[in-house]
Amino acid sequence: MSNWDIVIVGGGIAGASLGAEVAGKRRTLIIEAEDHCGYHSTGRSAAFFLESYGGPQVAKLSSASAAFLANPTADFADGSFLHKRGGIHLSEGDWPEVPADVTAYRIDRAELDRVVPGLKPHWIKALVEPGCADIDVAALHAGFLRKFRKRGGEVRTSARFESAAFDGQNWTIRLADGSELSANILVDAAGAWADEVAERSGVRRLGIAPKRRTMVQLRVGQTGLKELPLIDDAEGRFYFKGETDNSIWLSPHDEIESDPCDAAPEEIDIATAIDRFQGVVDWPVERVERTWAGLRSFAPDRLPVYGFDTQVSGFFWCAGQGGFGIQTSPAAGKLAASVLLAEEPDPSVAHIDPAVFAPSRFG
């Protein structure tokens, strides 16, 4: 049996970003069920930074992550993870709203027509969020794993978690192949499987619910779209952004309840996405080029969960990142690490109250 200070279940963006912060201070192992890390939600992200997404508490994590995403340290990456795109929130009625600290401004219909030619007339108000950007998710995730390994962390793939038992001081962790590990702290960064990992560890579920999100790449009869801003509906019914000169990435912004699984798109959700898109612009849909789906996992109050379980002291939650796990990962990793290690937080997150994200909020 191999012995560790910390074992993290899950090698996606949550486990990798936290692991990168703690590996240099504790003997840390990441176990990942798949044959490579980031196979599920992390590898299927729509890959954009939108500071307003997730509400005011999540926006604090996003804002605290922005500087690192734009200008990572030289030992982490060669250049920025962001490509500025800009975002436009559309409305058929009232002006769209964003958290107070997020930079945004209103534009009139004439300017809107210039940016989004062919926009249908019932979209009468728009708010521009200039800070919206594409994220190089693969490079960011790889950077966290590289930092984790450089600091002495170890990653084991094809290592499916089976169960764990806590004796008050140490965990005995059993993998699906029958092998066992020992650790002082067990971190649940298992994404859609977070509640399942908790239950198999004798820890009560928090209600972390996986939701399926559908993505469609459409070729359309309109050109000049590669740098098209992210366009979304203030009511949360769609978003799309440019991909190539005449194709877009589109989502119906769906959150379909799902069991933890290798998510796949369903025909009805693809049809819904296209139908909603055709209610926004008059661009002819020429063909569906590809489709995919991923699971976003939310706690009951839709805030992430970072902290020790209230009943089992050696169990640490790092789960419920919803659709904002990528864009908040630099700050979330540092904030969660400060709680896990009982250390002063990094200055970049010192203004954020970790109690807002603690599992104790669920009673």
Side-chain angles (χ1 to χ4, degrees):
M1 182 187 298
S2 58
N3 301 310
W4 301 87
D5 296 324
I6 300 169
V7 169
I8 299 173
V9 183
I13 200 73
S17 59
L18 175 58
E21 297 299 327
V22 302
K25 301 174 180 180
R26 302 288 190 278
R27 292 177 299 116
T28 307
L29 172 70
I30 290 175
I31 56 173
E32 167 57 49
E34 306 297 341
D35 59 8
H36 66 270
C37 294
Y39 175 78
H40 291 285
S41 297
T42 298
R44 307 178 194 192
S45 169
F48 56 78
F49 178 90
L50 188 68
E51 195 174 356
S52 62
Y53 180 67
Q57 296 298 339
V58 172
K60 293 177 183 178
L61 292 170
S62 299
S63 299
S65 299
F68 177 83
L69 292 172
N71 296 289
T73 55
D75 61 342
F76 193 95
D78 294 332
S80 178
F81 293 112
L82 300 181
H83 172 74
K84 282 294 182 73
R85 177 178 293 275
I88 297 178
H89 308 289
L90 296 178
S91 175
E92 298 170 291
D94 295 333
W95 286 103
E97 296 182 356
V98 299
D101 293 337
V102 175
T103 300
Y105 59 88
R106 298 174 179 180
I107 58 171
D108 59 25
R109 177 67 201 213
E111 177 63 11
L112 192 56
D113 285 334
R114 186 190 69 79
V115 179
V116 191
L119 185 69
K120 295 194 172 180
H122 57 279
W123 299 102
I124 57 175
K125 293 178 181 176
L127 195 71
V128 173
E129 189 173 329
C132 179
D134 295 337
I135 305 176
D136 188 340
V137 177
L140 178 64
H141 182 233
F144 283 128
L145 290 176
R146 186 168 55 250
K147 180 179 178 181
F148 174 71
R149 291 186 174 103
K150 186 176 180 179
R151 291 185 166 184
E154 183 177 325
V155 178
R156 294 185 190 174
T157 56
S158 301
R160 187 174 299 276
F161 174 90
E162 184 66 28
S163 63
F166 189 55
D167 65 7
Q169 290 186 322
N170 293 289
W171 289 96
T172 299
I173 303 158
R174 180 177 290 275
L175 304 183
D177 64 4
S179 62
E180 292 186 347
L181 309 168
S182 174
N184 302 123
I185 297 172
L186 180 62
V187 175
D188 186 352
W193 286 265
D195 263 2
E196 184 175 307
V197 166
E199 187 170 66
R200 293 187 179 198
S201 305
V203 177
R204 70 185 178 109
R205 290 172 172 255
L206 291 186
I208 306 292
K211 309 280 189 180
R212 189 177 70 247
R213 172 62 52 87
T214 304
M215 295 297 301
V216 183
Q217 182 169 314
L218 287 183
R219 179 168 179 167
V220 297
Q222 177 72 29
T223 59
L225 301 180
K226 185 173 178 60
E227 299 298 324
L228 180 76
L230 175 72
I231 310 294
D232 70 28
D233 170 28
E235 299 298 321
R237 293 170 292 186
F238 63 81
Y239 59 80
F240 59 91
K241 66 174 185 176
E243 173 62 11
T244 69
D245 185 62
N246 61 347
S247 69
I248 61 163
W249 277 15
L250 164 70
S251 174
H253 209 272
D254 49 344
E255 291 182 0
I256 309 300
E257 291 186 9
S258 173
D259 291 329
C261 65
D262 186 355
E266 297 191 2
E267 291 298 325
I268 184 62
D269 300 319
I270 296 168
T272 297
I274 295 172
D275 180 67
R276 292 178 182 177
F277 172 73
Q278 291 178 316
V280 183
V281 290
D282 62 7
W283 309 340
V285 174
E286 296 183 345
R287 70 168 180 265
V288 174
E289 294 186 322
R290 68 186 183 109
T291 62
W292 67 100
L295 297 180
R296 300 174 170 219
S297 300
F298 293 91
D301 60 2
R302 298 181 70 86
L303 294 178
V305 187
Y306 307 123
F308 284 101
D309 188 78
T310 57
Q311 297 177 358
V312 182
S313 59
F315 190 90
F316 190 90
W317 291 90
C318 184
Q321 286 89 355
F324 39 79
I326 306 293
Q327 70 178 40
T328 60
S329 57
K334 291 182 183 300
L335 187 69
S338 71
V339 177
L340 192 156
L341 301 175
E343 294 183 348
E344 288 296 315
D346 184 86
S348 65
V349 295
H351 62 289
I352 301 175
D353 182 5
V356 171
F357 308 110
S360 59
R361 70 186 191 266
F362 298 111

